[in-house]
Amino acid sequence: MRTADAVAFIGHQVHVCRFREAGTLLRWLGRDLRGLRVLDVAGGDGYWAGQARKRGARAVSIDLARSKMLRGRTLSHPPALIEGDALRLPFADASFDRVLSICAIEHFDDGPAALSEMARVLAPGGELVMSADALTRAGSWPRLFDAHRRRFHVQRTYTHTQLDELLAERGLELLDHSYQFRSAAAERGYLSLSAHGGRYGFNAAAVLTPLVALGDALTPNDRGSVVLVRARRTAS
């Protein structure tokens, strides 16, 4: 394994929620992506789009952070890396069969506008898989939430019902959803890590991933810290 790949693996997968989060989204994308056009919106260094490429996809990652893309070019399976704005995607209508976005929409100045762009470039019958900060109990711990919001530049949070409504307005049908950090204790733990965990808090807490997964499995799937959704573009 190249040094760049090892560093990217640690950064992206040794994480208390990202491994399960991105793993679920990739499972929803499909194991065999041969011939499919896949776009990762706000994909950073392109690591996750690269995982789609390894499954056969013609993968593209778009982001505004040039420094991250320069790192991404050194990976063993880099996707096409394009510098661009999620609110003005530089692609024609119906350009992609799958669109992926991992915990990005909450950081955009206009999340609904970004969703409109994702829907626009998605071909009829194509699927969007994405995650977002939900933080459904944030009001219970306003100081922790404010610290999280300021540290990660969170503009807005989304529940699955809110995303369902936004997606429906853009011609997408919600197929599935899943929350992570579902219990009140888990959600408070998530916010505490965010507020007090330092730069590598979520990475250091990766050892807790099995406990978080077990707790989620025993808790109703109706609220939590992070929401994942899968939706299909209806035929036009």
Side-chain angles (χ1 to χ4, degrees):
M1 179 182 289
R2 294 183 183 179
T3 300
D5 294 314
V7 171
F9 177 88
I10 292 170
H12 288 284
Q13 299 213 39
V14 182
H15 191 284
V16 72
C17 65
R18 197 71 75 217
F19 174 77
R20 233 176 11 116
E21 176 185 356
T24 299
L25 296 178
L26 286 172
R27 176 169 55 81
W28 284 346
L29 277 182
R31 288 191 174 276
D32 185 355
L33 300 175
R34 284 176 292 182
L36 296 182
R37 303 161 296 173
V38 175
L39 172 67
D40 186 2
V41 176
D45 62 7
Y47 177 83
W48 294 112
Q51 301 307 300
R53 182 188 170 192
K54 288 171 69 175
R55 298 180 180 197
R58 289 180 283 163
V60 178
S61 176
I62 186 167
D63 202 283
L64 284 171
R66 181 176 297 182
S67 61
K68 292 182 180 180
M69 288 185 286
L70 290 174
R71 292 200 305 270
R73 290 174 186 170
T74 67
L75 299 175
S76 296
H77 300 278
L81 293 156
I82 296 178
E83 185 176 356
D85 190 347
L87 275 64
R88 292 179 292 275
L89 294 174
F91 308 111
D93 295 356
S95 296
F96 294 92
D97 304 295
R98 302 284 188 274
V99 173
L100 166 71
S101 185
I102 301 175
C103 262
I105 188 174
E106 65 266 29
H107 307 296
F108 299 147
D109 291 335
D110 190 342
L115 274 182
S116 295
E117 281 292 274
M118 293 183 212
R120 179 183 65 79
V121 302
L122 191 59
E127 293 189 4
L128 165 67
V129 299
M130 62 174 289
S131 58
D133 270 6
L135 296 166
T136 55
R137 302 177 180 88
S140 299
W141 312 290
R143 291 184 180 179
L144 291 177
F145 175 66
D146 189 55
H148 172 82
R149 181 187 58 77
R150 286 185 284 105
R151 181 180 176 196
F152 292 102
H153 310 288
V154 173
Q155 306 297 320
R156 176 181 171 181
T157 59
Y158 298 85
T159 65
H160 74 284
T161 54
Q162 290 169 335
L163 287 172
D164 185 14
E165 182 177 345
L166 289 169
L167 291 167
E169 291 170 355
R170 289 156 179 80
L172 285 91
E173 176 190 8
L174 186 68
L175 301 176
D176 203 353
H177 80 273
S178 180
Y179 281 94
Q180 292 189 358
F181 295 84
R182 295 177 185 176
S183 71
E187 193 162 352
R188 182 168 186 171
Y190 180 93
L191 280 173
S192 296
L193 274 173
S194 176
H196 306 302
R199 182 176 180 183
Y200 300 107
F202 284 113
N203 301 89
V207 294
L208 300 176
T209 299
L211 290 177
V212 175
L214 177 61
D216 285 353
L218 299 174
T219 306
N221 184 32
D222 57 5
R223 60 194 311 184
S225 296
V226 179
V227 64
L228 291 66
V229 298
R230 175 187 173 209
R232 179 176 295 137
R233 179 72 185 272
T234 55
S236 58

